[in-house]
Amino acid sequence: MTAGRSRARRLSTAGLLAALVCATSACTSSPSVESAATDEPQSAWAEPASYSYTLTSSTQVLAGTFRVDVYNGKVAKVTGLDEDSRRQVRDLPGEIQTIGKLLKTLQQAHSENAATAEAEYAADGHPVRISLDWDKNAIDDEALYTISSYEPMPG
C-alpha cells in the first residue's frame, strides 16, 4: 500500500513539474531575452526631410566632429568643427551621412551578424549613439557615431 501511494505521489509531482515548466517556458507567448536580442534594431523615429545635427564620429575613415545640415533628405552642408574635421570635409565630402543612412548602416550590420550593432535613442526616437564592430577580431572596422544637437527644420 505504501509503494502505491509513493508511486502516485511521484506521478503527481512529475505532472505538476511538467505543468510549471510549460507555464514558464514554451507555453508562454512573450519573447525570451535571447530572441529579443536578435531582433533587428528599431526606432519609432521618422526621419524628417530637413534637419540639422552634430555628428561626432570615430571610424577608420572618418574621425572628428561635424555640424550637418540635411535638406530634402540629402546632406546639403557639412561644417568641420575642428581642424581635422575641416580637412576631412574638404578631402572626403561624401563620407558624412544623414541620420537615416546611419540607421540603415546599423540595420545592415545587424542583418549581417556584426559583432556589435547597437544604438541608443532619445525620447523622441532619434538615435543618439550608434556603435558598430563588424568583426571582433579585426582592428580597423569599429565605428562609433554620437549624434547631438538634433533639430528638425521646416521644409
Side-chain angles (χ1 to χ4, degrees), residues 10 51 73 106 113 155:
R10 276 185 275 162
Y51 58 93
L106 170 67
N113 296 317

Side-chain angles (χ1 to χ4, degrees), residues 22-82:
C22 181
T24 59
S25 62
C27 294
T28 62
S29 61
S30 62
S32 69
V33 173
E34 183 177 342
S35 67
T38 60
D39 290 341
E40 280 197 33
Q42 297 292 319
S43 170
W45 180 70
E47 183 178 25
S50 300
Y51 58 93
S52 63
Y53 74 102
T54 299
L55 173 67
T56 302
S57 172
S58 63
T59 69
Q60 185 70 15
V61 175
L62 185 68
T65 303
F66 309 86
R67 186 66 187 165
V68 183
D69 293 331
V70 176
Y71 293 103
N72 296 321
K74 297 182 181 187
V75 173
K77 181 180 177 187
V78 178
T79 305
L81 301 181
D82 55 46

Side-chain angles (χ1 to χ4, degrees), residues 93-141:
E95 290 298 317
I96 308 295
Q97 303 295 319
T98 64
I99 296 174
K101 286 190 179 177
L102 292 173
L103 284 171
K104 284 181 183 176
T105 302
L106 170 67
Q107 290 172 343
Q108 178 185 358
H110 193 274
S111 68
E112 293 178 8
N113 296 317
T116 302
E118 302 171 340
E120 295 174 21
Y121 298 92
D124 71 353
H126 81 273
V128 294
R129 185 176 182 276
I130 297 173
S131 179
L132 305 171
D133 184 0
W134 295 91
D135 180 351
K136 72 178 182 175
N137 295 320
I139 59 170
D140 60 354
D141 66 335

